[in-house]
Amino acid sequence: AKNNSVPMDNINRAIKRATEKDAGDFSESTFEAYGHGGASFIINVLSDNANRSTADVRSAVVKKQGKMAEQGSVLFMYDLKGKIEIPSVVDEEELLMAAIDAEIDDVELVEGDEEGTSIVYTDPKVTGAMFDAVKGMGLEAKMSLSHVSKAPVECSEEDFEKNMAIIDALEELDDVDSVEHNMSN
């Protein structure tokens, strides 16, 4: 912070706020929005100030010509799934055997967003057990819950760029934890 010329008062105030015993007053919120070309967004927020985060999210979406949606109008188009990200390519047969050994029957293996990575989707209730099974295979992994689109939408290149601008604006906000979308391209 000092390298970026942040005043000492701001630094001390941030440290004090982080070390106070009532600093655990964070709450989770989920916002829904529509982008361009039929795209939709689920915006997950973790904030200590709900009013600020609501205003920030609305402002970021509207400034990029998106539309905030009513609660539940986007969420129904997604399934909540356990997501295990593995930084290597996984043998599907070996993964299925590990899942069967852990008594898990709902497993989906897909290629990761980056080349040479894999993602395993499973029921949220058994994500921990599947994570342990992946670790038991000797693989590094990262576990989370994720909303997965039931009906991905293919956007034009222009709409895709506009939607990515909305996502970038949202991800720049301190309170935004993640932004999930239904764009397939």
Side-chain angles (χ1 to χ4, degrees):
K2 286 182 183 180
N3 292 340
N4 291 324
S5 302
V6 176
M8 280 304 293
D9 288 344
N10 292 6
I11 295 171
N12 291 335
R13 194 173 35 237
I15 291 170
K16 183 180 177 201
R17 191 173 46 214
T19 58
E20 288 178 354
K21 61 183 172 197
D22 63 340
D25 291 343
F26 282 84
S27 62
E28 288 183 82
S29 304
T30 301
F31 295 95
E32 302 171 35
Y34 290 109
H36 304 274
S40 61
F41 307 106
I42 295 177
I43 305 146
N44 298 306
V45 173
L46 181 64
S47 177
D48 60 342
N49 185 331
N51 291 334
R52 180 191 66 226
S53 62
T54 299
D56 288 350
V57 167
R58 286 185 189 283
S59 174
V61 170
V62 171
K63 280 183 182 176
K64 300 294 181 182
Q65 289 81 43
K67 295 179 188 156
M68 292 303 294
E70 293 292 320
Q71 197 71 32
S73 62
V74 169
L75 210 51
F76 80 94
M77 295 186 283
Y78 293 79
D79 287 325
L80 183 64
K81 294 196 175 203
K83 179 179 180 181
I84 301 169
E85 297 176 75
I86 305 166
S88 60
V89 177
V90 177
D91 179 44
E92 186 171 12
E93 201 170 304
E94 189 178 336
L95 179 75
L96 291 175
M97 291 307 294
I100 290 169
D101 290 344
E103 299 180 7
I104 300 168
D105 56 3
D106 181 23
V107 176
E108 178 186 359
L109 176 65
V110 296
E111 281 186 31
D113 296 334
E114 297 173 19
E115 190 175 327
T117 63
S118 302
I119 298 176
V120 178
Y121 289 110
T122 188
D123 186 285
K125 295 175 188 163
V126 297
T127 304
M130 189 66 223
F131 181 73
D132 292 340
V134 168
K135 289 289 221 178
M137 294 169 58
L139 299 170
E140 290 293 318
K142 189 170 79 171
M143 173 177 62
S144 63
L145 292 178
S146 179
H147 289 90
V148 179
S149 176
K150 294 178 185 176
V153 173
E154 177 119 9
C155 297
S156 69
E157 194 63 37
E158 181 182 338
D159 288 340
F160 180 78
E161 293 299 323
K162 289 178 182 177
N163 290 332
M164 290 309 294
I166 293 172
I167 291 171
D168 290 342
L170 288 166
E171 288 180 340
E172 285 179 13
L173 300 174
D174 290 337
D175 294 337
V176 172
D177 189 37
S178 66
V179 179
E180 294 156 324
H181 59 81
N182 66 347
M183 294 184 293
S184 62
N185 50 337

